[in-house]
């Protein structure tokens, strides 16, 4: 946890965003390690994984060896036992390097480890955390269905109880890490008429009979990540795998997505920063009409706008992570962070592309990939329209 001492004030660099807060050494090391890994390993391979739509396996394995798949997992189960601030600092750098690797880690940590930590029994933690923390078992979160994305309350996957088991039937769609996962949190309804009170959350092991992986989803961006459909056909899940109480599943889903949205906000900040870095490098290295592009006022204003909005989104994101760490309500702040960061990621990609001109639409610069990756941030883990809906529901007149 952070100490709000204000004794160690940073004024520059990424850590400078957390003005007035002492950043622990563990977090600094993790940030530095993620930054080095992004520069040396992720950036050189990101275009290839995008072009080939291939999973960045060696990168994810290397990050697992560094402990990055166990950032939130308790130390007693082999994890690092760190917080969402540490996760956010690391994930921004990883996403700056490769958004496909970034979402793989984000889903694993925010959408699997986090709800297991909050809602799991001791027995479930003992059973699932060692594999998740070491990276032997990748995590996935399966709520979306072919006909139900934004309207998560209307899921049709069913669960019925028979003795000590639940029987699951249904299809999930657009599931990140789905075909590679060793542990999946999924959601099913006991009775659609019960609406939110009828939904259960389960931690399932995909090696159980009745589970299969469906079609691979081909995507506009973040093309290296594993995205598939999952099919539950009379899958028998032990009652001991119910996460939380019967009927608590929808609240678990929403609480988990609040944290997941901080993860995607972080991803969007990382993508936006990559766009800014590329734009500055290009503008400083190219001349037009007899002077450096960077000295052209139109270009320098674009760079100033990008830098300012990225910093604002980074602050919103770090604040949401710190509220989550403090156990405080953070739905509104997480949605604001995701909305703001995914919008600047798209605007930064557009502005960086305009600064690059023709070079920006070619494969020789990373801008074309970043442009496509940024769009996905406005869609998954709740579209921008859903974020606005969540924010508006939380806005109350300030009568102070
Ligand atoms: N925490 C805890 N409980 C919450 C909550 C939260 N943040 N938000 C809502 N709830 C509770 C409500 O209190 C309510 O409880 P009661 O029934 O006891 O009153 C219940 O949940 C139902 O809530 P609402 O009435 O607000 O439900 P709604 O249908 O009007 O709206 C929604 C819900 C916000 C639109 C929600 O459906 C939503 O977030 N949709 C978007 C889904 C989404 O983000 N999907 C992303 C998929 S994951 C993904 O993309 C992962 C990946 O692989 C990258």
């Amino acid at each position: 946890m952070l100490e709000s001492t204000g004794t160690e004030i940073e004024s520059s660099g990424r850590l400078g965003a957390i003005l007035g807060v002492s950043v622990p050494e563990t977090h600094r090391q993790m940030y530095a390690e993620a930054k080095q890994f992004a520069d040396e390993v992720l950036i050189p391979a990101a275009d290839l994984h995008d072009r080939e739509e291939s999973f960045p396996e060696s990168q994810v394995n290397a990050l697992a060896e560094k402990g990055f798949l166990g950032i939130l997992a308790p130390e007693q189960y082999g994890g690092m036992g760190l917080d969402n601030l540490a996760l956010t600092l690391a994930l921004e750098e990883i996403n700056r390097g490769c958004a496909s690797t970034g979402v793989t880690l984000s889903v694993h940590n925010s959408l699997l480890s986090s709800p297991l930590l909050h809602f799991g029994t001791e027995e479930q933690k003992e059973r699932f955390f060692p594999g998740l923390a070491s990276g032997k078992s990748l995590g996935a979160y399966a709520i979306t269905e072919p006909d139900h994305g934004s309207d998560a309350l209307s899921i049709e996957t069913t669960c019925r109880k028979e003795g000590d088991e639940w029987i699951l039937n249904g299809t999930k769609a657009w599931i990140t890490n789905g075909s590679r996962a060793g542990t999946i949190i999924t959601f099913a309804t006991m009775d659609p008429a019960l609406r939110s009170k009828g939904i259960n959350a389960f931690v399932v092991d995909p090696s159980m009979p009745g589970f299969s992986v469906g079609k691979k989803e081909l995507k506009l961006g973040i093309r290296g990540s594993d995205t598939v459909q999952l099919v539950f056909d009379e899958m028998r899940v032990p009652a001991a795998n119910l996460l939380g109480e019967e009927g608590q599943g929808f609240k678990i889903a929403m609480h988990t997505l609040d944290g997941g949205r901080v993860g995607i906000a972080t991803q969007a900040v990382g993508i936006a920063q990559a766009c800014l870095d590329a734009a500055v490098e290009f503008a400083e290295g190219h001349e037009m009409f007899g002077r450096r592009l960077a000295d052209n006022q139109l270009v320098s204003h674009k760079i100033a706008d990008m830098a300012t909005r990225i910093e604002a989104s980074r602050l919103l994101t770090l604040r949401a992570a710190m509220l989550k760490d403090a156990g405080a309500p953070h739905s509104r702040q997480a949605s604001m962070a995701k909305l703001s960061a995914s919008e600047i990621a798209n605007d930064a990609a557009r502005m960086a592309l305009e600064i690059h001109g023709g070079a920006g639409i070619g494969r020789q610069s990373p801008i074309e990939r970043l442009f496509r990756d940024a769009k996905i941030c406005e869609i998954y883990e709740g579209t921008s329209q859903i974020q606005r809906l969540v924010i508006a529901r939380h806005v109350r007149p300030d009568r102070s």
Side-chain angles (χ1 to χ4, degrees):
M1 291 287 289
L2 281 181
E3 306 159 61
S4 283
T5 59
T7 52
E8 198 176 343
I9 295 176
E10 306 251 0
S11 60
S12 64
R14 307 284 194 284
L15 295 181
I18 323 172
L19 200 64
V21 173
S22 168
V23 179
E25 190 51 36
T26 42
H27 293 53
R28 287 170 189 278
Q29 277 173 12
M30 168 156 283
Y31 166 76
E33 213 176 334
K35 184 171 168 41
Q36 187 179 5
F37 191 77
D39 288 331
E40 293 175 3
V41 180
L42 295 176
I43 291 175
D47 279 329
L48 181 79
H49 287 291
D50 171 67
R51 250 198 307 283
E52 294 182 346
E53 297 190 58
S54 57
F55 186 73
E57 185 145 18
S58 65
Q59 291 87 326
V60 173
N61 289 341
L63 286 164
E65 271 176 32
K66 291 176 185 294
F68 281 56
L69 275 79
I71 293 178
L72 298 180
E75 284 177 283
Q76 74 211 80
Y77 304 123
M80 296 179 112
L82 294 175
D83 53 18
N84 289 280
L85 179 66
L87 182 63
T88 303
L89 290 170
L91 277 184
E92 183 188 326
E93 284 305 305
I94 291 167
N95 279 292
R96 181 177 63 81
C98 170
S100 293
T101 307
V103 73
T104 304
L105 263 71
S106 183
V107 165
H108 176 93
N109 281 293
S110 306
L111 297 186
L112 202 312
S113 296
S114 184
L116 187 59
L117 202 55
H118 278 89
F119 302 101
T121 60
E122 272 319 303
E123 184 278 325
Q124 288 170 339
K125 290 177 189 175
E126 248 172 58
R127 202 154 32 113
F128 296 113
F129 265 134
L132 291 165
S134 66
K136 283 199 183 76
S137 179
L138 199 58
Y141 173 95
I143 189 163
T144 303
E145 298 183 351
D147 293 328
H148 306 286
S150 292
D151 184 7
L153 207 48
S154 297
I155 55 169
E156 292 178 50
T157 297
T158 58
C159 57
R160 62 173 202 279
K161 202 164 185 192
E162 279 185 12
D164 269 354
E165 288 178 323
W166 287 91
I167 320 292
L168 268 58
N169 281 290
T171 300
K172 299 292 180 182
W174 301 102
I175 307 306
T176 305
N177 297 343
S179 81
R180 295 175 167 266
T183 314
I184 301 171
I185 288 186
T186 194
F187 302 86
T189 177
M190 294 179 280
D191 176 0
L194 294 174
R195 301 294 285 162
S196 74
K197 309 281 188 295
I199 294 176
N200 288 336
F202 299 95
V203 191
V204 303
D205 170 350
S207 65
M208 293 172 178
F211 174 88
S212 60
V213 173
K215 75 167 171 121
K216 174 180 166 133
E217 311 279 12
L218 301 174
K219 311 188 298 284
L220 168 77
I222 321 222
R223 287 154 47 105
S225 71
D226 173 41
T227 314
V228 293
Q229 290 199 349
L230 302 179
V231 181
F232 302 97
D233 180 11
E234 290 289 294
M235 183 183 190
R236 305 185 87 85
V237 176
N241 287 34
L242 181 76
L243 186 66
E245 305 291 323
E246 249 181 70
Q248 205 193 358
F250 193 73
K251 286 185 198 277
I252 293 175
M254 292 297 111
H255 182 274
T256 301
L257 279 173
D258 286 342
R261 287 167 185 164
V262 182
I264 301 306
T266 307
Q267 165 164 77
V269 173
I271 292 171
Q273 185 66 46
C275 293
L276 177 61
D277 292 346
V280 170
E281 197 177 321
F282 191 87
E284 286 182 346
H286 288 78
E287 285 197 0
M288 195 181 280
F289 302 115
R291 59 180 174 167
R292 286 187 330 152
L293 267 183
D295 296 329
N296 179 314
Q297 214 172 47
L298 288 175
V299 171
S300 66
H301 283 192
K302 277 188 170 52
I303 286 171
D305 286 348
M306 278 191 243
T308 306
R309 290 177 57 201
I310 291 169
E311 194 73 357
S313 297
R314 180 177 291 126
L315 282 168
L316 281 173
T317 304
L318 290 167
R319 182 181 65 147
M322 288 158 71
L323 284 171
K324 184 167 167 61
D325 287 334
H330 54 282
S331 303
R332 177 172 63 102
Q333 291 83 357
S335 286
M336 283 179 167
K338 182 177 184 289
L339 176 66
S340 164
S342 52
E343 285 190 347
I344 181 55
N346 281 272
D347 288 348
R350 180 179 48 74
M351 287 190 261
L353 199 149
E354 286 165 5
I355 290 170
H356 278 70
I361 55 170
R363 279 277 163 91
Q364 68 274 30
S365 101
I367 298 298
E368 175 266 354
R369 167 177 52 83
L370 293 165
F371 190 84
R372 290 182 285 102
D373 286 354
K375 191 64 206 170
I376 312 297
C377 299
E378 288 186 328
I379 307 290
Y380 61 13
E381 298 206 27
T383 62
S384 291
Q385 291 75 17
I386 290 291
Q387 306 313 323
R388 286 190 167 90
L389 184 150
V390 172
I391 295 162
R393 283 180 179 181
H394 282 86
V395 174
R396 296 283 173 273
D398 181 357
R399 307 211 187 278
S400 59

